Amino acid sequence: MTAHVSLPPEGPASEEPGHTTGEPRWLDAEEQRAWRAYLYSAQLLLDRLDRELTHETGISHAYYEVLVALSETPGRRMRMSELADRCLSSRSRLSHAVSRLEERGWVRREVCAEDGRGLLAVLTDEGFAALAAAAPVHVESVRTHLFDQLTPEQVAAMRDLGETLLRHLGPR
Amino acid sequence: MTAHVSLPPEGPASEEPGHTTGEPRWLDAEEQRAWRAYLYSAQLLLDRLDRELTHETGISHAYYEVLVALSETPGRRMRMSELADRCLSSRSRLSHAVSRLEERGWVRREVCAEDGRGLLAVLTDEGFAALAAAAPVHVESVRTHLFDQLTPEQVAAMRDLGETLLRHLGPR
DNA sequence: GCGGAATAGATGAGCCTTCAACTACGCTGA
DNA sequence: TCAGCGTAGTTGAAGGCTCATCTATTCCGC
């Protein structure tokens, strides 16, 4: 009955008044239901999108995001750190990812003129072509599993929810 | 400008009428904004919750879900497959996870009486104690990064959104 | 009761992510 | 001009996840 975020109590723990540590702010049944619905649906959705993209194009969602970020930039190139931020990725993770994309011939590293420490990730024509092939597959998944399921009001609520959380979690 | 799900076009591709393949149903600017807000916020939130839980308790969110599922069940035991379903986990992933939890002494495998093929994962007292210690940490994270940020209307919308998507993505 | 299909689960290789070093370069102040 | 610190990025080891494969057991029809 009690679910997920709270410890299943044998009954509410005895509470002494004037506590110092503070009793955990457990979720009530309604909150649990909302939280679980959000958590499960988000996990299932992201998983599904990633799987469909990966299986139909050979590009994981993580790689896809890297390619998209590069493709949207003038000259199709970006500093490694900036790219990491845009992809919600750690520096290390991005570094590994770019190495693997480099092996596929989709990205190339270039030294940065203004900063001798810096590198630019550059999207190659092959990389752009791979992205062009994958994009219709991905957009169809997003339509099918997300937008086709929602009313315009729900889409608006989704955006509102997302933007509210982003203000807290920070665009970094 | 064009973002994420769509190929950044040099301009809309020429479209011949009577197409057979079907032009991709690209997202418009509003849809992209909603989708990105949702995607980013979900990724950041889940990441944050997982990190806080992992760093403060040594239990990843994935393991936490396993422990919670077991703790909620009569006898604190469950068939491996059912546990996998409850945790949105593949059989293989759960099998590996239970092995690791077994090494920590938090879970034990028992043979299943009714089905010689089956196994039961059983939460040990040590496992329950570990969960009891972690739960307050996790609930505080969920409060701080989710519920404290939202109005009651947004919580209701979150639940509605989640349940709508779950109907499509299936409780499996 | 027996042969074959289906189910439950384990296993290992390979890839991905994380974390903690580590290198290399730039910036600042004395 | 150089010492020290901060920033940019890489690297390798360790653990987690996926996928394909494998074993053991049950179920089903005859």
Side-chain angles (χ1 to χ4, degrees), chain B residues 7-168:
Chain B
L7 175 69
E10 256 56 272
S14 65
E15 171 143 19
E16 53 271 25
H19 41 51
T20 51
T21 320
E23 191 67 10
R25 299 188 287 153
W26 298 119
L27 303 187
D28 66 29
E30 280 303 297
E31 288 168 327
Q32 293 225 23
R33 203 171 152 174
W35 162 235
R36 272 214 163 287
Y38 175 82
L39 176 67
Y40 277 13
S41 60
Q43 287 184 165
L44 285 171
L45 177 63
L46 299 183
D47 224 68
R48 185 87 160 242
L49 296 178
D50 186 35
R51 286 178 120 73
E52 290 188 357
L53 186 61
T54 301
H55 286 151
E56 291 176 39
T57 72
I59 306 177
S60 70
H61 194 259
Y63 287 11
Y64 184 84
E65 295 233 53
V66 172
L67 299 180
V68 169
L70 287 176
S71 77
E72 286 172 350
T73 234
R76 293 180 186 163
R77 67 195 61 226
M78 200 185 283
R79 287 290 295 270
M80 294 292 286
S81 306
E82 198 189 339
L83 187 54
D85 290 346
R86 283 237 193 292
C87 298
L88 304 182
S89 174
S90 70
R91 311 292 165 95
S92 168
R93 180 189 183 196
L94 182 75
S95 185
H96 285 298
V98 167
S99 297
R100 291 177 302 243
L101 289 172
E102 226 170 2
E103 288 168 17
R104 297 196 193 184
W106 292 351
V107 171
R108 183 164 33 87
R109 272 181 247 243
E110 261 179 27
V111 296
C112 178
E114 308 98 57
D115 188 337
R117 296 166 298 183
L119 291 180
L120 291 162
V122 186
L123 186 63
T124 65
D125 290 343
E126 291 76 20
F128 187 82
L131 175 58
V137 172
H138 185 49
V139 80
E140 187 54 33
S141 283
V142 173
R143 281 256 172 245
T144 302
H145 300 305
L146 188 62
F147 287 101
D148 287 353
Q149 306 303 321
L150 302 179
T151 65
E153 292 73 30
Q154 286 175 313
V155 172
M158 172 178 84
R159 171 177 155 184
D160 170 65
L161 181 64
E163 291 181 348
T164 300
L165 292 177
L166 279 182
R167 275 193 289 281
H168 167 72

Side-chain angles (χ1 to χ4, degrees), chain A residues 66 79-85 87 89-100 109 121:
Chain A
V66 172
R79 287 290 294 270
M80 294 293 285
S81 306
E82 198 188 340
L83 187 54
D85 291 345
C87 297
S89 174
S90 70
R91 310 295 164 93
S92 167
R93 180 188 183 198
L94 181 75
S95 184
H96 286 298
V98 165
S99 296
R100 292 177 302 246
R109 273 183 245 244

